[in-house]
């Protein structure tokens, strides 16, 4: 049980009533300056107006985040790798808890590939990060992916193992991939007492995005940490509005898309 008042207070800054709509934009390290991240100021302005609870970036982007985040929460991501480097799974530390606090973060996030050859070192780093962050009352979002040789990244049992590991080493919120349907994802949610949020993966249609979010919430999860489906959208504010309607107002898919002015077509 989380009894730390600083962690509780900061968790409230990155969520609404225990539900999370986080938009991660750490992909500039991983993928480069892709669509939506070149003019990151406008994207952040749109998604925070659309109902995001928090945005997430690497520490160096902080000066471009604060003037545009409309009073919403801010999470600093503390490890990274690139798709053009020797091994994308080999995430290395890029910031400390102190760095994150210096640039105004409300929480830190850390990516672990459970099942990869880097799992042992990443698990140690995550555990140490959680201890250090707790010293300062800073929440840790663990991005716990099931990634490695022979692993199905959407298999519910593997995802359940990944989210459970995050709780056991001391994280406060856990993000993982979606297993594809509400029934299987409920087994992932049941594997931990932590709030579970999903990654979106590469961008699909608006209906696919909305159905994924609806299924996630039906499974008992706490929300999303959804990047490309939101920041690569032609209308980031509108798709955020649709996702927010599902997460914060329990809207169904058609209501959410309609309320955001998006097409109801497949
Ligand atoms: C680009 C991807 O495939 C994502 O799933 C990333 O691995 C997520 C991540 N936080 C990153 O950009 O490193
Ligand atoms: O940091 C990355 C994520 O949390 C997920 O990003 P995606 O683009 O929704 O997979």
């Amino acid at each position: 049980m989380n009894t730390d008042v600083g962690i509780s207070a900061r968790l409230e800054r990155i969520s609404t009533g225990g539900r999370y709509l986080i938009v991660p934009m750490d992909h500039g390290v991983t993928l480069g300056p892709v669509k939506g991240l070149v003019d990151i100021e406008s994207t952040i302005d749109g998604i925070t107006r659309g109902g995001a609870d928090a945005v997430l970036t690497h520490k160096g982007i902080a000066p471009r985040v604060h003037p545009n985040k409309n009073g919403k929460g801010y999470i600093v991501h503390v490890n990274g790798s690139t798709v053009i480097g020797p091994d994308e799974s080999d995430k290395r530390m890029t910031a400390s808890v102190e760095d994150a606090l210096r640039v105004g973060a409300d929480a830190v996030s850390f990516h672990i590939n459970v099942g990869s050859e880097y799992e042992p070192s990443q698990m140690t780093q995550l555990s140490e990060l959680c201890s250090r962050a707790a010293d300062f009352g800073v929440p840790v979002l663990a991005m716990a992916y099931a990634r490695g040789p022979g692993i199905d990244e959407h298999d519910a049992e593997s995802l359940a193992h990944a989210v459970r590991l995050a709780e056991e080493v001391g994280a406060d919120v856990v993000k993982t991939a979606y297993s594809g349907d509400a029934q299987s994802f409920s087994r992932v949610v049941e594997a931990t007492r932590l709030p579970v949020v999903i990654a979106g993966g590469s961008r699909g249609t608006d209906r696919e995005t909305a159905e994924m979010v609806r299924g996630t919430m039906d499974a008992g999860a706490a929300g999303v940490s959804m990047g490309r489906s939101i920041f690569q959208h032609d209308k980031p504010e509108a798709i955020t509005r649709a996702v927010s309607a599902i997460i914060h107002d329990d809207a169904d898919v058609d209501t959410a898309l309609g309320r955001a002015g998006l097409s109801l077509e497949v």
Side-chain angles (χ1 to χ4, degrees), residues 14 23 26 32-33 36 62 76 90 99 103 113 136 140 172 189 197 207 210 214:
I14 62 166
V23 183
D26 54 315
V76 165
D90 186 8
D99 289 335
V103 299
N113 291 309
F136 293 93
V140 176
D172 301 286
V189 174
V197 299
R207 178 163 289 277
R214 186 63 267 165

mmCIF file of all heavy atoms in Angstrom, residues 14 23 26 32-33 36 62 76 90 99 103 113 136 140 172 189 197 207 210 214:
data_model
loop_
_atom_site.group_PDB
_atom_site.id
_atom_site.type_symbol
_atom_site.label_atom_id
_atom_site.label_comp_id
_atom_site.label_asym_id
_atom_site.label_seq_id
_atom_site.Cartn_x
_atom_site.Cartn_y
_atom_site.Cartn_z
ATOM 1 N N ILE A 14 -0.947 13.833 -12.032
ATOM 2 C CA ILE A 14 -0.807 13.192 -13.354
ATOM 3 C C ILE A 14 -2.027 12.329 -13.690
ATOM 4 O O ILE A 14 -1.978 11.489 -14.582
ATOM 5 C CB ILE A 14 0.500 12.362 -13.459
ATOM 6 C CG1 ILE A 14 0.532 11.216 -12.434
ATOM 7 C CG2 ILE A 14 1.720 13.271 -13.305
ATOM 8 C CD1 ILE A 14 1.625 10.180 -12.723
ATOM 9 N N VAL A 23 0.168 11.236 -22.221
ATOM 10 C CA VAL A 23 0.662 11.177 -23.606
ATOM 11 C C VAL A 23 2.198 11.225 -23.578
ATOM 12 O O VAL A 23 2.794 12.269 -23.326
ATOM 13 C CB VAL A 23 0.091 12.311 -24.475
ATOM 14 C CG1 VAL A 23 0.584 12.164 -25.916
ATOM 15 C CG2 VAL A 23 -1.434 12.293 -24.435
ATOM 16 N N ASP A 26 8.424 10.572 -25.598
ATOM 17 C CA ASP A 26 9.849 10.260 -25.474
ATOM 18 C C ASP A 26 10.394 9.659 -26.762
ATOM 19 O O ASP A 26 11.587 9.355 -26.861
ATOM 20 C CB ASP A 26 10.076 9.280 -24.317
ATOM 21 C CG ASP A 26 9.232 8.012 -24.420
ATOM 22 O OD1 ASP A 26 8.026 8.133 -24.710
ATOM 23 O OD2 ASP A 26 9.766 6.912 -24.218
ATOM 24 N N GLY A 32 13.405 9.462 -33.419
ATOM 25 C CA GLY A 32 13.809 10.725 -34.034
ATOM 26 C C GLY A 32 12.637 11.695 -34.078
ATOM 27 O O GLY A 32 11.569 11.434 -33.514
ATOM 28 N N PRO A 33 12.823 12.798 -34.786
ATOM 29 C CA PRO A 33 11.801 13.860 -34.800
ATOM 30 C C PRO A 33 10.644 13.527 -35.742
ATOM 31 O O PRO A 33 10.450 14.147 -36.781
ATOM 32 C CB PRO A 33 12.586 15.081 -35.277
ATOM 33 C CG PRO A 33 13.692 14.506 -36.102
ATOM 34 C CD PRO A 33 14.047 13.165 -35.526
ATOM 35 N N GLY A 36 4.503 15.091 -35.363
ATOM 36 C CA GLY A 36 3.905 15.412 -34.061
ATOM 37 C C GLY A 36 4.924 15.862 -33.039
ATOM 38 O O GLY A 36 4.582 16.501 -32.047
ATOM 39 N N ALA A 62 12.116 19.612 -21.469
ATOM 40 C CA ALA A 62 11.316 20.293 -20.431
ATOM 41 C C ALA A 62 11.037 21.773 -20.722
ATOM 42 O O ALA A 62 9.894 22.218 -20.561
ATOM 43 C CB ALA A 62 11.979 20.128 -19.061
ATOM 44 N N VAL A 76 9.009 12.841 -16.414
ATOM 45 C CA VAL A 76 10.290 12.758 -17.131
ATOM 46 C C VAL A 76 10.713 11.297 -17.261
ATOM 47 O O VAL A 76 10.756 10.550 -16.273
ATOM 48 C CB VAL A 76 11.379 13.605 -16.434
ATOM 49 C CG1 VAL A 76 12.771 13.251 -16.940
ATOM 50 C CG2 VAL A 76 11.110 15.086 -16.682
ATOM 51 N N ASP A 90 18.179 -2.369 -25.477
ATOM 52 C CA ASP A 90 19.203 -2.021 -24.484
ATOM 53 C C ASP A 90 19.050 -0.562 -24.064
ATOM 54 O O ASP A 90 19.833 0.305 -24.449
ATOM 55 C CB ASP A 90 20.589 -2.277 -25.086
ATOM 56 C CG ASP A 90 21.702 -2.074 -24.079
ATOM 57 O OD1 ASP A 90 21.413 -1.886 -22.876
ATOM 58 O OD2 ASP A 90 22.869 -2.097 -24.505
ATOM 59 N N ASP A 99 17.577 14.983 -11.545
ATOM 60 C CA ASP A 99 17.439 15.697 -12.833
ATOM 61 C C ASP A 99 15.962 15.993 -13.114
ATOM 62 O O ASP A 99 15.600 17.093 -13.536
ATOM 63 C CB ASP A 99 17.950 14.837 -13.996
ATOM 64 C CG ASP A 99 19.450 14.682 -14.023
ATOM 65 O OD1 ASP A 99 20.161 15.550 -13.499
ATOM 66 O OD2 ASP A 99 19.911 13.650 -14.579
ATOM 67 N N VAL A 103 13.950 19.759 -13.399
ATOM 68 C CA VAL A 103 13.236 20.319 -14.558
ATOM 69 C C VAL A 103 11.726 20.346 -14.350
ATOM 70 O O VAL A 103 10.962 20.555 -15.290
ATOM 71 C CB VAL A 103 13.602 19.585 -15.876
ATOM 72 C CG1 VAL A 103 15.092 19.725 -16.164
ATOM 73 C CG2 VAL A 103 13.179 18.123 -15.844
ATOM 74 N N ASN A 113 12.351 -4.036 -20.458
ATOM 75 C CA ASN A 113 11.962 -5.096 -21.393
ATOM 76 C C ASN A 113 12.065 -6.438 -20.689
ATOM 77 O O ASN A 113 13.148 -7.036 -20.635
ATOM 78 C CB ASN A 113 12.859 -5.044 -22.632
ATOM 79 C CG ASN A 113 12.587 -3.819 -23.463
ATOM 80 O OD1 ASN A 113 11.438 -3.530 -23.799
ATOM 81 N ND2 ASN A 113 13.622 -3.066 -23.801
ATOM 82 N N PHE A 136 12.286 10.978 -2.319
ATOM 83 C CA PHE A 136 11.825 12.334 -2.627
ATOM 84 C C PHE A 136 10.290 12.408 -2.748
ATOM 85 O O PHE A 136 9.759 13.449 -3.114
ATOM 86 C CB PHE A 136 12.445 12.810 -3.952
ATOM 87 C CG PHE A 136 13.923 13.009 -3.897
ATOM 88 C CD1 PHE A 136 14.800 11.996 -4.258
ATOM 89 C CD2 PHE A 136 14.455 14.227 -3.470
ATOM 90 C CE1 PHE A 136 16.168 12.184 -4.209
ATOM 91 C CE2 PHE A 136 15.824 14.418 -3.420
ATOM 92 C CZ PHE A 136 16.690 13.392 -3.787
ATOM 93 N N VAL A 140 6.856 6.558 -9.516
ATOM 94 C CA VAL A 140 7.529 5.923 -10.657
ATOM 95 C C VAL A 140 6.492 5.205 -11.520
ATOM 96 O O VAL A 140 5.736 4.365 -11.032
ATOM 97 C CB VAL A 140 8.587 4.903 -10.189
ATOM 98 C CG1 VAL A 140 9.203 4.179 -11.392
ATOM 99 C CG2 VAL A 140 9.674 5.594 -9.366
ATOM 100 N N ASP A 172 4.859 2.605 -8.886
ATOM 101 C CA ASP A 172 3.566 3.117 -8.403
ATOM 102 C C ASP A 172 2.465 2.997 -9.445
ATOM 103 O O ASP A 172 1.285 2.922 -9.104
ATOM 104 C CB ASP A 172 3.727 4.590 -7.997
ATOM 105 C CG ASP A 172 4.778 4.741 -6.920
ATOM 106 O OD1 ASP A 172 4.491 4.374 -5.773
ATOM 107 O OD2 ASP A 172 5.901 5.175 -7.242
ATOM 108 N N VAL A 189 -4.663 -7.019 -15.639
ATOM 109 C CA VAL A 189 -5.021 -6.049 -14.590
ATOM 110 C C VAL A 189 -5.080 -6.733 -13.222
ATOM 111 O O VAL A 189 -4.639 -6.180 -12.210
ATOM 112 C CB VAL A 189 -6.366 -5.373 -14.944
ATOM 113 C CG1 VAL A 189 -6.840 -4.474 -13.812
ATOM 114 C CG2 VAL A 189 -6.234 -4.583 -16.244
ATOM 115 N N VAL A 197 -1.956 1.023 -17.017
ATOM 116 C CA VAL A 197 -2.302 1.809 -18.206
ATOM 117 C C VAL A 197 -1.671 1.131 -19.418
ATOM 118 O O VAL A 197 -0.701 0.385 -19.278
ATOM 119 C CB VAL A 197 -1.824 3.281 -18.082
ATOM 120 C CG1 VAL A 197 -2.486 3.964 -16.907
ATOM 121 C CG2 VAL A 197 -0.304 3.384 -17.959
ATOM 122 N N ARG A 207 -11.311 4.625 -34.906
ATOM 123 C CA ARG A 207 -12.180 3.626 -34.262
ATOM 124 C C ARG A 207 -11.335 2.560 -33.556
ATOM 125 O O ARG A 207 -11.650 2.151 -32.445
ATOM 126 C CB ARG A 207 -13.127 2.990 -35.301
ATOM 127 C CG ARG A 207 -14.030 1.901 -34.735
ATOM 128 C CD ARG A 207 -15.196 1.594 -35.635
ATOM 129 N NE ARG A 207 -16.161 2.688 -35.634
ATOM 130 C CZ ARG A 207 -17.109 2.861 -34.715
ATOM 131 N NH1 ARG A 207 -17.243 2.009 -33.722
ATOM 132 N NH2 ARG A 207 -17.932 3.872 -34.790
ATOM 133 N N ALA A 210 -10.102 4.074 -30.347
ATOM 134 C CA ALA A 210 -11.176 4.203 -29.347
ATOM 135 C C ALA A 210 -11.590 2.834 -28.809
ATOM 136 O O ALA A 210 -11.846 2.678 -27.600
ATOM 137 C CB ALA A 210 -12.367 4.926 -29.976
ATOM 138 N N ARG A 214 -11.528 1.619 -24.985
ATOM 139 C CA ARG A 214 -12.761 1.114 -24.341
ATOM 140 C C ARG A 214 -12.512 -0.276 -23.737
ATOM 141 O O ARG A 214 -12.910 -0.566 -22.607
ATOM 142 C CB ARG A 214 -13.887 1.078 -25.390
ATOM 143 C CG ARG A 214 -15.291 0.724 -24.930
ATOM 144 C CD ARG A 214 -15.897 1.701 -23.936
ATOM 145 N NE ARG A 214 -15.654 1.286 -22.571
ATOM 146 C CZ ARG A 214 -15.808 2.058 -21.490
ATOM 147 N NH1 ARG A 214 -16.210 3.304 -21.605
ATOM 148 N NH2 ARG A 214 -15.554 1.607 -20.293
#
